Amino acid sequence: MLASGCRVSHHLWVCDPRRRRHPGLGLGLGLGLGPCGARIVQLSPLVPKPPAAASGDGGRRSQTRPSSSCSGGPSQSRGGVPILSDCFSQQENAREPVSEGSSLVAGGVVALGKFDALHIGHRELAVQASKVGTPFLLSFVGMAEVLGWEPRVPIVAQSDRRRVLSSWASYCGNVVPIEFQIEFSTVRYLSPEQFVEKLSKELGVRGVVAGENYRFGYKAAGDTLELAKLCQECGMGAFIIKSVMDKNQEFSHMDASDLKERGQVSSTRVRHALAAGDMNYVSELLGRRHRLVIKTEGQEGFGQEGFGGQKHSISAPKSCLLNLAPKDGTYDNCFVVIGQENLVPCRVVIDTTTIHVQMDETGVCNDFGTPNFQLLRIEFGDSRV
């Protein structure tokens, strides 16, 4: 039973998070309207996976699957061993592999997505996962390298992701969602059937949560209806939720070629809002203020100066940035994060090469010269460049 009152034991709900949920009705297989005002597809209940060993083939089977392909517990195959997200470390590029034969997500519920921006749509996936089990965010690393994409600066710095996820705990039953990443190269050629089998057998997943536009499998061959069907065959629960829509449709036609673009909150919208310098809009999409993280330790060109006639100021080259900055310009109503979470008001000026931070408080800059000063963290309040 969902905490909000949705019955999930025998049905897949395509739930609209904007609607109030009511106790479930015993609707059968079909596309009728359910208690969430959404489509319902019947599937098997959520049941814990027994810890039985599997055949060790890593889920890589032929696309013609026998009816028992999802029987058994997590496999001990090392093929595609997932890795724990490095968001729990201050090291931007460190990753901690999970030991062979173990699965951090065993018995949990995984939300599926890319989770670049950790915006309010991603948060809703974690919320729904938390209502039926331990919530995990499952995504892939190394996609750009494998697919030949041009590398992009992340929206959220790796070292800041744990803080963001911790802030979601109040929405997730006081449980902090955990990131779980798999090397994309190990799953790139898996069919939809093989991917779901990997979740069930190798990782021991109890259920999955995905947005209504989620695609999966080689060449994105699988959609959410197939996800629900395959999860049913593997004895897992599947929860498909409606997209969280963007109330501000300023960028409604920003990418007409994207078939997934239907006005929902997305990482692409966050990037466009940052490029426009509209920090109020960015905050709405993220559900929090955007935090810029700048690496200071061992960086050249970083130092204190009297920029703009301000005695208490500090500047850093853009090469020190660990995540995406907003458009060049001047931003008032910003804050420097000192210590744990002490916010000091500041003004930020971004030009073509440098970030300048101006503060009024005497003595604040003294903290920036200490050996422990490794990261400069700046939050952008509600303002427009």
Side-chain angles (χ1 to χ4, degrees), residues 313-333:
S313 64
I314 190 168
S315 298
K318 283 185 173 179
S319 59
C320 296
L321 295 178
L322 297 179
N323 62 317
L324 189 60
K327 178 182 179 181
D328 292 356
T330 299
Y331 298 87
D332 296 314
N333 193 29

Side-chain angles (χ1 to χ4, degrees), residues 33 37 98 116 178 197 253 315 343 352 372:
L33 290 178
V98 175
D116 179 17
I178 301 173
E197 184 180 349
H253 303 293
S315 298
L343 302 182
T352 55
N372 294 328

Side-chain angles (χ1 to χ4, degrees), residues 96-151:
E96 179 183 353
V98 175
S99 61
E100 184 173 0
S102 66
S103 174
L104 178 68
V105 296
V109 179
V110 297
L112 303 173
K114 292 183 179 179
F115 305 112
D116 179 17
L118 294 178
H119 52 60
I120 57 176
H122 295 149
R123 186 180 69 192
E124 183 61 28
L125 291 173
V127 169
Q128 297 303 324
S130 71
K131 292 177 179 179
V132 289
T134 303
F136 294 88
L137 306 183
L138 189 150
S139 58
F140 307 108
V141 291
M143 290 186 68
E145 294 85 348
V146 172
L147 299 176
W149 296 345
E150 183 179 348

Side-chain angles (χ1 to χ4, degrees), residues 9-20:
S9 59
H10 293 284
H11 296 87
L12 163 69
W13 281 22
V14 187
C15 289
D16 186 340
R18 297 166 299 179
R19 292 175 176 262
R20 181 179 179 182

